Amino acid sequence: MKDSIASELRGMLVFARVIDSGNFTRAAKTLGISRAVTSYQVKQLEKRLGVQLINRSTRALSLTSAGKLYYDKCKVIAEQAESAHQMIENLKADAVGRLSISCPVHLGLQWVVPLATAYRRRYPQVELELNLSESISNLVQDGIDLAIRSGPLADSELRSTKLATVSRHICASPDYLNLRGWPQSLNELDKHEWIVYHRLGNQLTLTRDDKDYSIKMTGTLRTNNAAARLQFALSGMGLAVLPHYDAAKAFNSGQLVELFPDYHLPPLELYAVFPDGIEKVKASRLMIDMLKNSPP
Amino acid sequence: MKDSIASELRGMLVFARVIDSGNFTRAAKTLGISRAVTSYQVKQLEKRLGVQLINRSTRALSLTSAGKLYYDKCKVIAEQAESAHQMIENLKADAVGRLSISCPVHLGLQWVVPLATAYRRRYPQVELELNLSESISNLVQDGIDLAIRSGPLADSELRSTKLATVSRHICASPDYLNLRGWPQSLNELDKHEWIVYHRLGNQLTLTRDDKDYSIKMTGTLRTNNAAARLQFALSGMGLAVLPHYDAAKAFNSGQLVELFPDYHLPPLELYAVFPDGIEKVKASRLMIDMLKNSPP
DNA sequence: TTCATTGTCAAAATTATACTGACAATAAGT
DNA sequence: ACTTATTGTCAGTATAATTTTGACAATGAA
């Protein structure tokens, strides 16, 4: 930082404090530095500006006219620097500010939107921005504070915390099963149509009594959209692996039934991913807590 | 400067520049520092605040919500710091700002007041403050930019420049001389009354053809006020040593006559005394020039 | 793929900043 | 007029901060 304004800033702060204090000694004390440095800083500033700001005698100070004008500016800057710092402290202490959240579309609609509504009601001073998108790439570009993703993101720059564990279930509509047959064992599954969720591949691992069973999902219906997958399943297009939050409603209404409930699928792990320090911001912390306390 | 706001200021400036530039590399270039420092400064700032301000990936930047709010503050501070510096530069380049002048009362009334009137007309953007006072002590206390004094001030803190050399003359009113006699030689002077100016002592040294003549001023009329001295002289109370600006008018109107015009008195040396760097301020420089160009 | 560019890092070099203990100048009290 | 305490500054030194350099992995473009 050769000769930029930056070098002046510290001097400006010291200078302002000297004027506020009325003398160098008191200023030094309140700044927590020695008298010598205080003197040096102001002298350096004056040298840099080329104009003397303070008329000194050993027992009295006064501002030159240039100093008076300059002091007013310094005072404002000092206050604003203080206020900027304070604002960050406020963000950490109170539910204020802004919070931008990124979330996969379907999960967002099912889970985050209702929660965000409650959040806004509870913390009206926080401006919420909910960005629903599947793509994970523009997380940085879009200035996201909090991204909700399934699976921990292997990114050293970002921190993450687990929000919820969502069980998954093999589902089908009664109509479909009546048509194609209700499978009694895992072996019969390969005679069925699967609605394959694009991002998960077509290998499926089930667990029962600590034993793993591997299944290959066969089928021609593929989608990268979770809502579409649900609709296909409801329309009786085949078997689908659905997260609990999609499945539960359909089970209750009888639109879907669960197959092989004794076997467990590896659950969906939902993580919050965020830049370091964001968890110290109260608005973010409260949102994370809320997400953890109200799993989908 | 342990942990005060001051340490943050440099970081704030760098941070703002990074955002303005869109990336660290360009910011570093415009700041004239290396990429590494730029990164370091922002990181340091974030560490200090406890919150990440910038979402980084190697090819894209974005602000966190906290960063957005903080940026706005930084931007204002950067602009104001720039403007403070610019203001000083303006003071040096243009006739603007304020200028406070201190001057002995009588000299001020005779000389500076008329000049200040012309100055104000010529440079209306300069706020003038004229402080007429004999005392030299509160020069610092009163925040004077420019003090006019007779004789160079032996003060290492302050700079000074000679404004004018004012000749002095031995004067008396014709009435007084008719009453007490017109002295023909220096020897007769000790029979006369002197109006003694307090600050100059009562020893007088005259010069003629490189030869010095010492005279002791006798008399009971003493004053520390230059205007009073003039009035006493005009009223025929005795001989007085008057500066040219007081004597000239009276000579022209015949109210006073000069004695021993061939002998020269050590002249009054008028100096401008001011803090270092004030001569770089245009308003001051113009005033000093004007004083030099229009001697009393 | 290859290539150039980005942000960051670690170690070293350099600079800025800080403290200490003096000093002369001043003001207040006696 | 004398002492006493306080002030701002200085010189020399110590310390902490900043900066440079050269490297690195990550990333996007060709």
Side-chain angles (χ1 to χ4, degrees), chain A residues 12 20 74 76 80 83 90 96 107 130 161 242 253 290:
Chain A
M12 294 172 83
D20 289 340
C74 292
V76 170
Q80 285 180 337
S83 120
N90 286 347
V96 295
L107 179 60
L130 184 57
T161 181
L242 295 182
S253 64
M290 206 177 240

Side-chain angles (χ1 to χ4, degrees), chain B:
Chain B
M1 188 89 31
K2 272 216 192 81
D3 61 339
S4 116
I5 299 296
S7 322
E8 282 172 29
L9 279 168
R10 182 166 334 206
M12 294 173 83
L13 240 53
V14 174
F15 165 65
R17 186 65 66 92
V18 168
I19 302 308
D20 289 339
S21 305
N23 65 46
F24 283 73
T25 305
R26 254 200 303 281
K29 203 168 288 177
T30 66
L31 284 169
I33 59 181
S34 67
R35 275 177 299 162
V37 204
T38 311
S39 173
Y40 168 80
Q41 288 282 358
V42 174
K43 195 141 245 170
Q44 207 70 7
L45 177 63
E46 291 176 324
K47 188 175 165 193
R48 190 172 273 283
L49 294 174
V51 175
Q52 197 164 322
L53 302 169
I54 300 183
N55 276 315
R56 306 147 165 83
S57 81
T58 42
R59 307 287 281 199
L61 293 186
S62 74
L63 287 166
T64 63
S65 289
K68 262 193 209 86
L69 295 170
Y70 197 69
Y71 167 76
D72 292 337
K73 304 249 181 189
C74 292
K75 192 65 186 157
V76 170
I77 289 177
E79 279 163 1
Q80 285 180 338
E82 180 64 52
S83 121
H85 186 96
Q86 194 53 52
M87 186 210 63
I88 296 289
E89 293 303 320
N90 286 346
L91 286 181
K92 295 200 270 188
D94 306 325
V96 294
R98 211 176 312 178
L99 178 62
S100 67
I101 307 171
S102 167
C103 186
V105 183
H106 184 59
L107 179 61
L109 291 172
Q110 299 300 314
W111 185 33
V112 183
V113 167
L115 260 183
T117 309
Y119 184 97
R120 274 287 298 168
R121 263 200 270 275
R122 194 133 37 124
Y123 312 113
Q125 288 193 287
V126 179
E127 221 175 293
L128 271 189
E129 183 177 330
L130 184 57
N131 197 309
L132 297 185
S133 154
E134 306 301 331
S135 79
I136 208 166
S137 64
N138 44 8
L139 199 155
V140 168
Q141 277 179 28
D142 297 348
I144 300 300
D145 297 314
L146 201 62
I148 298 171
R149 290 290 176 266
S150 51
L153 207 58
D155 191 325
S156 59
E157 297 287 325
L158 298 171
R159 310 189 67 77
S160 62
T161 181
K162 193 195 283 190
L163 294 176
T165 302
V166 181
S167 60
R168 299 194 297 158
H169 309 271
I170 302 175
C171 309
S173 79
D175 289 348
Y176 167 83
L177 290 173
N178 288 336
L179 196 67
R180 302 286 296 257
W182 295 62
Q184 299 303 319
S185 76
L186 297 181
N187 298 333
E188 301 175 28
L189 283 175
D190 53 2
K191 293 181 215 150
H192 282 269
E193 293 282 335
W194 286 88
I195 301 158
V196 181
Y197 189 47
H198 185 257
R199 287 184 47 208
L200 293 178
N202 29 357
Q203 204 66 26
L204 209 58
T205 306
L206 291 81
T207 310
R208 180 178 174 179
D209 301 333
D210 286 338
K211 281 206 288 188
D212 287 358
Y213 306 86
S214 195
I215 285 176
K216 191 164 169 236
M217 296 185 285
T218 56
T220 52
L221 205 41
R222 301 177 153 270
T223 177
N224 67 339
N225 185 286
R229 176 184 54 173
L230 173 60
Q231 292 215 9
F232 281 135
L234 289 171
S235 331
M237 301 304 288
L239 309 181
V241 174
L242 295 182
H244 179 261
Y245 54 86
D246 277 341
K249 282 190 229 159
F251 290 165
N252 286 335
S253 63
Q255 294 177 277
L256 294 178
V257 296
E258 177 170 16
L259 298 180
F260 307 107
D262 298 336
Y263 292 83
H264 294 291
L265 287 164
L268 211 58
E269 313 240 275
L270 296 180
Y271 280 80
V273 185
F274 45 85
D276 191 33
I278 290 294
E279 75 273 18
K280 296 201 188 112
V281 174
K282 188 145 194 188
S284 307
R285 203 169 55 246
L286 289 170
M287 177 57 84
I288 292 173
D289 290 345
M290 205 178 240
L291 289 165
K292 281 183 179 170
N293 292 331
S294 310

Side-chain angles (χ1 to χ4, degrees), chain A residues 9 14 26 45 47 68 92 106 130 148 162 168 172 188 193 201 220 223 231 249:
Chain A
L9 279 169
V14 174
R26 254 199 304 280
L45 177 63
K47 188 176 162 192
K68 260 193 211 89
K92 294 200 269 186
H106 185 62
L130 184 57
I148 298 171
K162 193 194 283 189
R168 298 192 299 157
E188 301 175 28
E193 293 282 334
T220 53
T223 178
Q231 292 213 10
K249 282 190 230 160

Side-chain angles (χ1 to χ4, degrees), chain A residues 166-169 242-249 251 296:
Chain A
V166 181
S167 60
R168 298 192 299 157
H169 310 272
L242 295 182
H244 181 261
Y245 53 85
D246 277 340
K249 282 190 230 160
F251 290 164

